[in-house]
Amino acid sequence: MKKIKQKKTLTVTVYIVLRFLVIVCMIGQVFRGNWNNVFLCFVTLLLFTIPTIVDKKLNIKLPSTLEIIIYLFIFSSEILGEIQNFYGIFWHWDTILHVLNGFLMGAIGFSLVDILNRYERFHITLTPIFVSLVAFSFSMTIGVLWEFVEFGFDQYLKKDCQKDRIITEISSVGLNKKKENVPKKIKNITKTKIYSKKGNKEIITVVPNGYLDIGLVDTMKDLFVNFIGALVFSILGFLYIKDRDEYKFLEKFFPVLKKINT
């Protein structure tokens, strides 16, 4: 009982500290007149309420460890990543968050199926490998849907969520002068010039050190690391179902239904 109270106290402490930091950040952005970041802070505060909504409305208990990870993930993504530009400062910040996202979505997907599997009212019995496969598929689906969201922001709001990358080698059939379905390879690209017009004035933008890739490399990298996170959790979930006592520590990452008829 004492350990449960300590875990709950830690969760509440993390929640209060992070919420306070978001409010401080929001006030700072108000003074700077950056209303886009103010909106992000407001969205972050709303996202912080998700664990409470899940607990109260859906009757699902989130372990303290998982709840803290969710809070840190939201804060790291919106406040540190977007507003403090950790995505630009730290090269692998986005990669780390996508791995964590794959892990978290795997946990949620796994728990949804495991709850049904153990809930007598539904009368279903699923094998451990099937539950793990569903968890993996759920995580990958969420990852793909998120890339759709980023693409939508880039296409219609011009936000560049799918970050551009500088590459030094390309291979494209579009550069084949004979219009054949044979890719033309260009290596050791040192710079790229982009020509555009503003009124009657021609503008030349030089991309140093290579060719500007518009989001493709970033998207595939995000999906790949999401795959890694989903795969790792699916394997852990499989082991947990096979022997719940030996892998009991994994319960720290699994949401559970508060009342299950067993």
Side-chain angles (χ1 to χ4, degrees):
M1 192 69 182
K2 186 177 180 181
K3 288 184 178 180
I4 294 176
K5 288 183 178 180
Q6 288 177 343
K7 290 179 180 178
K8 194 64 180 176
T9 301
L10 178 60
T11 304
V12 173
T13 301
V14 171
Y15 173 79
I16 292 175
V17 170
L18 293 181
R19 196 172 182 86
F20 172 76
L21 292 176
V22 174
I23 293 173
V24 170
C25 181
M26 179 184 287
I27 294 173
Q29 297 304 315
V30 169
F31 280 111
R32 293 180 181 179
N34 194 329
W35 302 109
N36 181 61
N37 286 348
V38 171
F39 176 73
L40 282 178
C41 291
F42 178 72
V43 170
T44 302
L45 294 176
L46 288 180
L47 292 175
F48 277 168
T49 64
I50 290 178
T52 301
I53 293 174
V54 169
D55 182 84
K56 302 295 183 182
K57 301 296 183 180
L58 302 180
N59 202 36
I60 293 177
K61 179 183 177 183
L62 295 179
S64 296
T65 302
L66 179 63
E67 192 171 348
I68 290 173
I69 292 175
I70 291 173
Y71 289 139
L72 292 175
F73 176 80
I74 295 171
F75 185 80
S76 299
S77 176
E78 300 299 329
I79 304 302
L80 298 181
E82 294 291 346
I83 297 178
Q84 300 302 324
N85 193 32
F86 274 35
Y87 290 129
I89 297 173
F90 300 102
W91 183 253
H92 295 295
W93 190 258
D94 184 57
T95 300
I96 293 171
L97 290 182
H98 274 279
V99 172
L100 187 57
N101 178 70
F103 191 86
L104 288 174
M105 291 304 104
I108 294 173
F110 175 86
S111 298
L112 290 175
V113 181
D114 191 46
I115 286 173
L116 294 177
N117 208 25
R118 299 171 61 195
Y119 198 13
E120 289 186 355
R121 180 178 176 183
F122 291 94
H123 301 290
I124 59 175
T125 303
L126 304 177
T127 62
I129 188 67
F130 184 81
V131 176
S132 298
L133 181 61
V134 171
F136 174 80
S137 300
F138 179 84
S139 178
M140 289 303 299
T141 300
I142 296 299
V144 170
L145 291 177
W146 179 248
E147 291 303 319
F148 288 168
V149 172
E150 288 190 346
F151 178 76
F153 275 113
D154 291 352
Q155 283 292 102
Y156 302 108
L157 300 180
K158 310 304 178 186
K159 290 296 184 180
D160 192 26
C161 295
Q162 295 172 305
K163 304 300 182 187
D164 303 333
R165 296 296 177 94
I166 302 296
I167 58 179
T168 58
E169 181 178 335
I170 61 174
S171 178
S172 172
V173 296
L175 297 176
N176 190 310
K177 294 181 179 180
K178 296 181 180 180
K179 305 299 180 181
E180 297 174 346
N181 191 29
V182 179
K184 179 177 175 57
K185 299 178 182 179
I186 301 179
K187 299 181 179 180
N188 302 317
I189 302 173
T190 57
K191 66 179 178 180
T192 307
K193 287 185 178 181
I194 301 174
Y195 295 87
S196 60
K197 276 190 175 182
K198 188 174 183 181
N200 294 324
K201 184 180 179 181
E202 186 176 65
I203 301 174
I204 301 176
T205 304
V206 178
V207 180
N209 304 320
Y211 174 79
L212 187 64
D213 171 77
I214 311 296
L216 176 61
V217 174
D218 179 76
T219 298
M220 296 311 298
K221 181 267 299 177
D222 290 345
L223 290 176
F224 180 71
V225 297
N226 191 101
F227 165 83
I228 294 175
L231 181 64
V232 169
F233 194 89
S234 297
I235 293 173
L236 292 176
F238 174 81
L239 295 174
Y240 173 73
I241 295 179
K242 293 287 287 184
D243 193 337
R244 295 180 186 270
D245 292 329
E246 183 177 352
Y247 297 94
K248 193 175 182 63
F249 70 94
L250 292 174
E251 292 180 354
K252 296 178 181 179
F253 305 102
F254 295 150
V256 295
L257 200 62
K258 288 184 178 179
K259 294 179 180 180
I260 295 181
N261 298 322
T262 55

